[in-house]
Amino acid sequence: MGELRPAVVEGVLERITYANEENGYTVARVDTGRGGGDLLTVVGSLLGAQPGESLRMEGRWGSHPQYGKQFTVENYTTVLPATIQGIRRYLGSGLIKGIGPRIAERIVEHFGIGTLEVIEREPARLVEVPGLGPKRTKLIGAAWEEQKAIKEVMVFLQGVGVSTSIAVRIYKEYGDSSISVVKNQPYRLAADVWGIGFLTADRIAQAVGIPHDSPERVKAGLQYALSQATDNGNCFLPEEQLLSDAVKLLQVDTGLVIDCLAELAGEEGVVLEPVPAPDGGGDPVRAVYLVPFHRAELSLAGSLLRLLRGTEDRMPAFHDVDWDKALAWLAERTGVDLAPEQQQAVRLALTEKVAVLTGGPGCGKSFTVKSVVALAQAKKAKVVLAAPTGRAAKRLAELTGAEASTVHRLLELKPGGDAAYDRERPLDADLVVVDEASMLDLLLANKLVKAVAPGAHLLFVGDVDQLPSVGAGEVLRDLLAEGGPVPSVRLTRIFRQAQESGVVTNAHRINSGAHPVTQGLDDFFLFVEEDGEETARLTVDVAARRIPRRFGLDPRRDVQVLAPMHRGPAGAGVLNGLLQQAVTPARPDLPERRFGGRTFRVGDKVTQIRNNYEKGANGVFNGTVGVVTSLDTVEQRLTVLTDEDEEIPYDFDELDELAHAYAVTIHRSQGSEYPAVVIPVTTGAWMMLQRNLLYTAVTRAKRLVVLVGSRRAIGQAVRTVSAGRRFTALDHRLARAAK
């Protein structure tokens, strides 16, 4: 590394070539004014520094075997530029929302060397600049103030090792009290600020001097361990498991953790309740719930039982219907006779208050739903159709010819997650049909069932063999549990036309533990490749070039790559980068915005990665997919047209809510259907390879499946039945009531 000595360098930050959002480590190029266009490479934590800013950096000189001389930054301060050219560059860099290069030019032309002082002290004078009205002047003044305040918070957070995007979020959450919260209540951050987990909050707490064994730390750690469990799909953790997880996480004595858990229960931070052992045998376990999940489980069980036991009926016409006549009328209308198990499902949905219809692809679930809706409408019943995702809702509407919406829109969720429809104000519907019900998590199912009016009928439709919901719970499986009170029909017979589909027959083969047939079919292929990186390259070639060429499909709209994992050489993360290069490459005329490790461009296929109740008409939810339609570097805003045809604006500092969606994990693809699906299956994803994962991926395809990877990995997926159930007690609560 050469000789190390403390030194100071001043210069203008020209561009950031690499930034790790997690730890703030940055590689950047700085113009030190030596002329000749020479730029210096600087490395280190440049949290919050923006291109165009003048920086005074303290650090040390060194050299890199590949990149030559470089400067390692230990800390830096922003110096306002002193030359007209510097000011122009600084303002035009996109640092202040509302000022782009053209407006920067005009402002500097008008105020010259005093420009920054005017913006700082007399921002109202900006109206003197031609083309700047009072509205924009006000916005620029506010953006300047916010930038200054964020910078102050960032400088403080820099010493604690927090990344830029998180510092911005902390500021947005707490404003001027940011520094005080970080210093005095750092564990609040984990609960209040999306993107800050316990580990980041713990690092901050350590830096501000909170003791390792403080009860505040232990209680925050317990809540974090429980919230991690809910992220993994569990509604609770058995007490013993929670204690061992917390001891491992916190590195403190078990006794202290037990005391703090008792304190948390006393403060109503958690609920402890004995439930039957998850495997059905042995003594009951003490379940520890986070309060919202305990409330939701009790409430969902209560709502279902209330509907099932209610005496009123909003569809009384079906009590004494002549079913032979009704089914003959239906067959005449559709030209198709229902199979006996389909007939049973139709009768169940129209006579029982709550029912479940399940079955695999090609078994006629969709046609059965269409029949239920047709008969209900013939008797003038008011039918409401919903599904968890925009794509699934669209498909349901096409299928039935009736309107369908997402569950979120149906309930009109408000900021904060409360629904406009609930027990006090139920939905005006006689029959509510929910498709893709395997995706319903506990919290959403609870909100939905609460909003179903007494006497109305509720039909859940879904494939219980698919992956369970991304959120906590296994609602569909719990509803179907043996000994429960909810009546159900499982369709098992594959219809003749579906038997001709390689996609359908292979889905059923996989589900029964047999290898898919990968030769001699015109809609199901395998490209064998053992190496992970080669698998990624081949996957991109198939998705972006071969399928579009051979089948005439659009690589962005019609082809979806589904990966078992996010990480790894053939994971969704790497594939997104490669697919973006292939489908939406950089062009000089195409505006783009770099954020963390990602670059967003107009035309990019993107997905929302958190529930945000503040966006759009009724929130934008984890898994919503769309396309970037515009990108404004002056207003620092990007617009996404979602698959629900809603235009959603994102400020540049919100881009950590978006990820590219050229490739998504199989978990994230639930409820969506695509004409063609490409699935990389490598031995590198060994831990993830399970039957329901591969089955879910294959059932996402309407016309075509291409597997890319190793036969061994496919064999592993087919053989491995997913280990154990999630920790939920909904089935137990329902069964207990049924006795």
Side-chain angles (χ1 to χ4, degrees):
M1 279 296 290
E3 187 193 344
L4 299 180
R5 61 176 191 277
V8 173
V9 169
E10 292 201 1
V12 176
L13 181 61
E14 281 293 323
R15 64 176 180 273
I16 291 173
T17 50
Y18 169 79
N20 181 326
E21 282 296 316
E22 294 306 308
N23 58 19
Y25 178 79
T26 307
V27 179
R29 306 277 281 161
V30 169
D31 182 353
T32 55
R34 287 177 304 189
D38 275 358
L39 297 179
L40 168 68
T41 297
V42 300
V43 299
S45 180
L46 283 174
L47 269 162
Q50 301 279 358
E53 288 190 296
S54 298
L55 307 178
R56 183 175 189 277
M57 295 165 288
E58 290 175 15
R60 52 186 199 276
W61 288 101
S63 69
H64 185 282
Q66 201 178 336
Y67 306 113
K69 189 175 184 186
Q70 64 179 34
F71 188 74
T72 299
V73 183
E74 277 153 7
N75 52 57
Y76 80 92
T77 50
T78 305
V79 189
L80 289 177
T83 66
I84 286 206
Q85 185 195 357
I87 293 169
R88 188 183 296 124
R89 192 134 122 244
Y90 174 65
L91 280 183
S93 66
L95 177 75
I96 303 296
K97 196 188 262 192
I99 303 185
R102 283 208 327 276
I103 288 184
E105 193 82 36
R106 282 193 228 145
I107 295 174
V108 175
E109 209 168 279
H110 189 82
F111 295 114
I113 201 85
T115 296
L116 299 180
E117 199 153 308
V118 169
I119 298 176
E120 168 77 38
R121 294 171 197 275
E122 307 172 85
R125 281 190 60 198
L126 287 168
V127 291
E128 297 170 21
V129 177
L132 275 190
K135 196 172 163 198
R136 176 162 285 208
T137 297
K138 209 168 167 185
L139 284 174
I140 291 171
W144 178 270
E145 283 305 313
E146 183 175 59
Q147 185 61 33
K148 259 180 27 196
I150 288 177
K151 202 39 119 311
E152 189 188 333
V153 172
M154 280 185 179
V155 169
F156 171 73
L157 291 173
Q158 194 176 1
V160 196
V162 175
S163 74
T164 326
S165 60
I166 285 179
V168 169
R169 278 208 227 108
I170 289 174
Y171 179 76
K172 280 195 160 173
E173 180 70 34
Y174 304 117
D176 293 341
S177 50
S178 298
I179 292 176
S180 151
V181 170
V182 170
K183 270 185 185 164
N184 304 314
Q185 302 167 285
Y187 291 107
R188 260 183 73 187
L189 303 175
D192 296 348
V193 183
W194 179 73
I196 296 189
F198 172 79
L199 301 178
T200 305
D202 201 32
R203 206 170 64 229
I204 295 170
Q206 204 179 340
V208 298
I210 286 178
H212 187 69
D213 58 357
S214 93
E216 188 191 353
R217 176 174 185 264
V218 177
K219 285 192 277 193
L222 280 163
Q223 286 177 302
Y224 170 71
L226 281 173
S227 77
Q228 284 292 92
T230 62
D231 286 350
N232 292 327
N234 297 302
C235 300
F236 66 82
L237 275 184
E239 186 180 26
E240 278 179 32
Q241 190 172 327
L242 172 62
L243 293 175
S244 78
D245 286 359
V247 167
K248 209 180 300 174
L249 170 75
L250 297 162
Q251 302 288 303
V252 294
D253 289 347
T254 310
L256 175 61
V257 178
I258 291 171
D259 292 346
C260 287
L261 181 58
E263 260 182 59
L264 257 183
E267 295 162 6
E268 296 187 2
V270 297
V271 176
L272 280 83
E273 182 190 348
V275 301
D279 55 10
D283 298 327
V285 297
R286 260 166 61 103
V288 188
Y289 286 85
L290 287 171
V291 171
F293 293 90
H294 185 257
R295 253 191 219 136
E297 206 174 72
L298 278 177
S299 163
L300 176 55
S303 299
L304 286 164
L305 292 165
R306 209 169 10 256
L307 285 174
L308 280 163
R309 291 169 175 166
T311 49
E312 57 189 294
D313 192 343
R314 292 180 58 147
M315 295 205 293
F318 289 101
H319 282 305
D320 43 15
V321 96
D322 180 336
W323 283 103
D324 290 342
K325 209 167 163 187
L327 294 167
W329 172 84
L330 198 62
E332 203 175 301
R333 276 197 60 180
T334 59
V336 180
D337 279 322
L338 289 175
E341 53 187 15
Q342 289 179 304
Q343 293 182 12
Q344 189 195 345
V346 169
R347 290 178 69 155
L348 207 61
L350 296 170
T351 57
E352 297 282 357
K353 302 289 178 41
V354 184
V356 178
L357 170 62
T358 188
C363 293
K365 279 200 310 291
S366 299
F367 192 74
T368 307
V369 170
K370 190 175 179 173
S371 304
V372 168
V373 171
L375 279 170
Q377 287 175 332
K379 294 284 186 189
K380 304 283 185 288
K382 188 164 189 232
V383 181
V384 164
L385 305 173
T389 65
R391 277 185 180 236
K394 259 186 187 169
R395 201 176 62 235
L396 189 58
E398 285 159 15
L399 165 82
T400 55
E403 233 176 88
S405 71
T406 63
V407 177
H408 300 102
R409 277 176 185 272
L410 174 69
L411 299 176
E412 291 178 20
L413 289 188
K414 300 273 185 282
D418 289 329
Y421 292 94
D422 54 22
R423 193 163 292 144
E424 277 65 56
R425 184 195 175 197
L427 294 161
D428 177 21
D430 305 319
L431 170 65
V432 178
V433 180
V434 192
D435 199 9
E436 293 290 355
S438 60
M439 291 184 68
L440 277 182
D441 63 36
L442 172 68
L443 298 182
L444 188 58
N446 175 44
K447 288 188 171 100
L448 172 69
V449 178
K450 223 192 280 187
V452 177
H457 291 224
L458 173 59
L459 175 65
F460 294 99
V461 184
D463 183 346
V464 76
D465 294 323
Q466 282 181 34
L467 289 167
S469 55
V470 174
E474 271 189 293
V475 173
L476 187 62
R477 185 168 291 180
D478 284 344
L479 292 176
L480 287 163
E482 255 180 79
V486 179
S488 63
V489 172
R490 186 178 190 126
L491 303 179
T492 53
R493 198 184 115 198
I494 307 174
F495 282 85
R496 199 177 62 246
Q497 62 271 35
Q499 287 171 7
E500 292 159 20
S501 153
V503 175
V504 169
T505 51
N506 273 332
H508 285 276
R509 286 178 69 85
I510 290 164
N511 200 27
S512 64
H515 249 272
V517 174
T518 55
Q519 278 165 325
L521 296 170
D522 57 8
D523 64 348
F524 202 104
F525 303 90
L526 167 64
F527 290 90
V528 176
E529 178 54 67
E530 296 300 328
D531 177 73
E533 285 177 19
E534 279 303 303
T535 298
R537 198 191 54 72
L538 186 52
T539 299
V540 171
D541 193 38
V542 167
R545 299 180 194 94
R546 297 191 196 192
I547 290 177
R549 207 166 46 224
R550 179 163 165 193
F551 294 92
L553 295 172
D554 179 310
R556 194 183 285 120
R557 194 182 58 238
D558 302 328
V559 183
Q560 184 63 52
V561 173
L562 299 180
M565 293 169 61
H566 184 75
R567 295 204 169 111
V574 168
L575 286 167
N576 264 318
L578 296 172
L579 284 159
Q580 186 192 32
Q581 282 169 26
V583 179
T584 316
R587 295 201 320 255
D589 61 329
L590 200 62
E592 57 178 51
R593 169 71 182 191
R594 191 188 168 88
F595 189 95
R598 302 195 254 268
T599 301
F600 292 96
R601 300 188 183 116
V602 170
D604 267 342
K605 184 174 178 177
V606 292
T607 178
Q608 171 82 9
I609 58 173
R610 66 171 286 223
N611 288 345
N612 186 335
Y613 295 98
E614 313 290 331
K615 282 199 163 305
N618 298 113
V620 181
F621 298 90
N622 187 353
T624 302
V625 175
V627 173
V628 178
T629 50
S630 71
L631 200 154
D632 185 331
T633 49
V634 175
E635 296 304 328
Q636 300 186 19
R637 187 173 295 133
L638 159 163
T639 306
V640 173
L641 180 65
T642 71
D643 54 11
E644 292 179 55
D645 299 322
E646 188 177 10
E647 287 210 321
I648 306 288
Y650 288 82
D651 286 344
F652 282 173
D653 60 15
E654 297 176 311
L655 292 183
D656 47 1
E657 295 192 15
L658 285 179
H660 289 106
Y662 298 99
V664 297
T665 60
I666 296 166
H667 279 90
R668 292 188 70 79
S669 72
Q670 289 169 260
S672 294
E673 243 188 17
Y674 317 92
V677 162
V678 184
I679 311 163
V681 189
T682 64
T683 49
W686 203 252
M687 295 302 291
M688 294 296 291
L689 296 177
Q690 293 177 348
R691 188 181 297 171
N692 60 353
L693 190 83
L694 187 57
Y695 173 72
T696 299
V698 168
T699 54
R700 299 306 86 219
K702 277 195 282 206
R703 281 175 55 185
L704 173 70
V705 170
V706 182
L707 299 175
V708 183
S710 90
R711 291 185 199 278
R712 233 181 103 224
I714 293 166
Q716 163 76 0
V718 169
R719 277 192 312 276
T720 310
V721 179
S722 85
R725 291 280 309 272
R726 292 174 163 190
F727 290 121
T728 85
L730 178 64
D731 54 347
H732 145 70
R733 296 179 197 284
L734 290 170
R736 193 174 54 191
K739 283 176 185 162

